[in-house]
Amino acid sequence: MSVLVYRTAFSIWLNANRSRLIYRLGNDMNLAKMARVEWMKMSEEDKNMWRKKANISAQCLRGRLKKVKRKVKGKGTTKKNPSESIDPSDALSNLPLSILVRHILPRVSPAHYAQLHLVSRRFHRLLCYYADELPKRDFDCLSFTHDWDDEFDFAVFVRAYSGRCVKRCENLDGSRNDKGPSLAVLLRHQRLTRDLGFDQNFDLKNIMNTLIHLAKHKRLCMTEIEFECSMSGVTEGQLKELLSHCSSRLEVFSFIGYGDIGHGVITDTLIASFITNGNLRALLFSRPVGLTDLTLDHFPLIEHFYLCFKHERITPSGVYRFIQRFRNDQKECSGQIIVSTFLKCPLRDLITPDDTRWIKTSDYETDEWIFFKIPSDPSSLELWLKFESC
């Protein structure tokens, strides 16, 4: 028995028993390895049955099954059955490219594209070359993190917020072929729709070009980006190009934690490149990045907006204009803005809050001003202005 038939038999057996094995092994990441151990424990009789199926399946895929002939009763001749004489694989191979790409492949669930890649070289080339035009399978979260034990970076895919890990990728830029498919290959038929996160100590500069490539091909369509890593070595141009391809749905852009932000990476010009989409509702920076009133003047008024600018070069005049814009705008919106405590005294000379509130916690004490959409009307929408020390 050839090695090819042996491997094909094992593949067919594994696909047929995948659900059972996942249930038994608890979704173990080494499913194939564990399954191969169980395969080796099978009797030769059972293995031969699957080898026979493998041989038939291989012939079907290659269109090599002999046409079945049926004897006609009472005659020595044979007659072909039309339904049996047509090889489905041959018919599919003869279909025009446009029919396959535009009408047949889009009807197949993207969850089954991995199996379609194995059908033939033609299908593999079609799925690779026309991946941008085919439907995508959505997933919720893509998180880049760092392995402290082995000292390497990897990515984790999460399909839903239940926290279930769908896939772990250690071959981020395609250079670690011994660690499985690259990130670009894994995202060929998938699309990120919600959160993109970079954890502490992740080296962002090594994957920026890969992220830009994925964003260009509409693989990154998230609504939130959270940086908690160092941006050393990342330029404003790279970040601007990344955001220009994936910011149409962006709602939250934050830089928190212990990440080191290089000087001049995040600027008013960079923020302006995606602030006009009308969906952005939150900007958070736990360290100074150098934003000015220009960003505050152009920030869209949207329901439940949140701005943390306590480290930025915001002036009292800029905050005053923002409050006036909130009151004069016809949109139904409310939100919160955090600025430095140094702005409190100058702002008192420009505007008087409708209400004030003193908040004291174990970590800090702060003063909050409340402005109503309609001055002196507590029933109208509110803008909360909080003062915090840098």
Side-chain angles (χ1 to χ4, degrees):
M1 189 64 64
S2 69
V3 175
L4 179 61
V5 174
Y6 179 92
R7 290 177 178 174
T8 308
F10 172 74
S11 298
I12 294 176
W13 173 82
L14 178 58
N15 289 335
N17 293 272
R18 185 173 296 273
S19 299
R20 176 181 62 84
L21 289 169
I22 289 177
Y23 176 78
R24 180 196 300 180
L25 300 175
N27 200 15
D28 194 283
M29 298 300 291
N30 297 317
L31 176 62
K33 181 178 179 181
M34 302 293 291
R36 196 172 295 278
V37 172
E38 183 168 332
W39 165 267
M40 297 304 297
K41 295 179 180 179
M42 291 172 57
S43 65
E44 283 300 317
E45 181 178 355
D46 291 334
K47 287 183 181 178
N48 287 332
M49 178 190 71
W50 287 102
R51 286 166 183 159
K52 184 177 180 181
K53 290 185 178 182
N55 191 38
I56 294 174
S57 298
Q59 290 179 8
C60 288
L61 290 177
R62 295 174 176 80
R64 294 177 182 173
L65 281 179
K66 295 181 180 180
K67 296 178 181 179
V68 181
K69 295 184 178 181
R70 187 177 62 187
K71 289 186 178 182
V72 180
K73 189 175 181 179
K75 296 184 180 180
T77 60
T78 58
K79 182 179 180 181
K80 297 178 182 178
N81 186 334
S83 62
E84 295 173 338
S85 63
I86 298 176
D87 190 341
S89 61
D90 286 341
L92 196 61
S93 300
N94 293 327
L95 285 176
L97 183 65
S98 59
I99 299 296
L100 280 172
V101 175
R102 297 176 185 175
H103 301 287
I104 294 181
L105 290 179
R107 294 179 177 272
V108 180
S109 170
H112 300 305
Y113 282 173
Q115 285 81 3
L116 279 180
H117 275 279
L118 304 177
V119 171
S120 66
R121 291 182 179 179
R122 187 191 187 202
F123 269 90
H124 174 69
R125 288 194 296 267
L126 286 178
L127 291 168
C128 292
Y129 190 79
Y130 293 97
D132 296 345
E133 303 177 25
L134 296 173
K136 304 292 182 294
R137 188 184 185 192
D138 294 343
F139 68 99
D140 295 314
C141 180
L142 177 59
S143 178
F144 293 91
T145 188
H146 183 77
D147 189 296
W148 291 90
D149 296 328
D150 297 329
E151 292 297 324
F152 67 91
D153 296 331
F154 64 95
V156 175
F157 298 77
V158 177
R159 185 74 57 194
Y161 274 95
S162 61
R164 184 172 63 91
C165 176
V166 174
K167 188 70 177 180
R168 171 170 165 157
C169 177
E170 299 179 9
N171 186 13
L172 299 182
D173 57 359
S175 60
R176 305 185 69 189
N177 293 327
D178 60 323
K179 297 298 182 179
S182 68
L183 182 67
V185 170
L186 290 176
L187 287 180
R188 182 186 288 146
H189 304 297
Q190 299 189 85
R191 176 176 57 198
L192 175 64
T193 59
R194 296 191 67 169
D195 296 350
L196 174 63
F198 302 90
D199 293 341
Q200 182 183 358
N201 288 327
F202 179 80
D203 199 350
L204 182 60
K205 67 178 183 295
N206 293 334
I207 198 178
M208 279 302 295
N209 291 333
T210 301
L211 292 175
I212 291 171
H213 168 77
L214 294 172
K216 282 182 178 179
H217 292 81
K218 308 301 180 184
R219 307 293 193 273
L220 305 180
C221 303
M222 60 280 177
T223 59
E224 180 174 343
I225 303 179
E226 181 179 292
F227 295 95
E228 198 177 355
C229 64
S230 171
M231 299 190 75
S232 175
V234 178
T235 65
E236 180 190 1
Q238 287 180 312
L239 197 55
K240 184 176 181 179
E241 185 176 4
L242 173 65
L243 294 173
S244 67
H245 295 295
C246 62
S247 61
S248 60
R249 300 176 62 245
L250 196 61
E251 297 179 6
V252 179
F253 183 73
S254 62
F255 201 103
I256 61 176
Y258 306 97
D260 176 26
I261 309 174
H263 178 70
V265 174
I266 299 176
T267 63
D268 291 314
T269 304
L270 173 67
I271 300 299
S273 65
F274 65 89
I275 206 172
T276 56
N277 62 24
N279 297 318
L280 190 67
R281 68 176 69 248
L283 284 174
L284 297 87
F285 301 101
S286 60
R287 297 198 175 192
V289 298
L291 297 180
T292 67
D293 291 346
L294 187 62
T295 295
L296 191 59
D297 289 338
H298 292 90
F299 188 84
L301 292 174
I302 191 171
E303 183 64 20
H304 304 306
F305 61 81
Y306 182 85
L307 300 173
C308 183
F309 284 168
K310 63 181 180 180
H311 298 288
E312 309 312 316
R313 294 180 294 174
I314 304 299
T315 67
S317 299
V319 178
Y320 173 77
R321 290 194 302 270
F322 187 81
I323 296 172
Q324 294 301 324
R325 185 157 63 95
F326 164 75
R327 283 177 165 173
N328 297 329
D329 198 285
Q330 300 298 318
K331 295 179 181 177
E332 294 292 320
C333 60
S334 61
Q336 184 178 38
I337 177 172
I338 302 175
V339 297
S340 172
T341 53
F342 294 110
L343 301 182
K344 184 190 300 185
C345 290
L347 272 171
R348 286 192 184 277
D349 299 331
L350 297 176
I351 192 170
T352 301
D354 295 311
D355 195 3
T356 59
R357 187 169 301 175
W358 180 258
I359 297 177
K360 183 178 180 179
T361 67
S362 58
D363 297 327
Y364 63 87
E365 296 180 359
T366 183
D367 193 13
E368 289 188 356
W369 293 2
I370 303 172
F371 297 90
F372 300 128
K373 187 85 171 177
I374 302 174
S376 302
D377 182 4
S379 63
S380 61
L381 297 170
E382 300 174 344
L383 166 62
W384 290 66
L385 177 60
K386 181 185 291 188
F387 298 97
E388 290 186 4
S389 57
C390 296

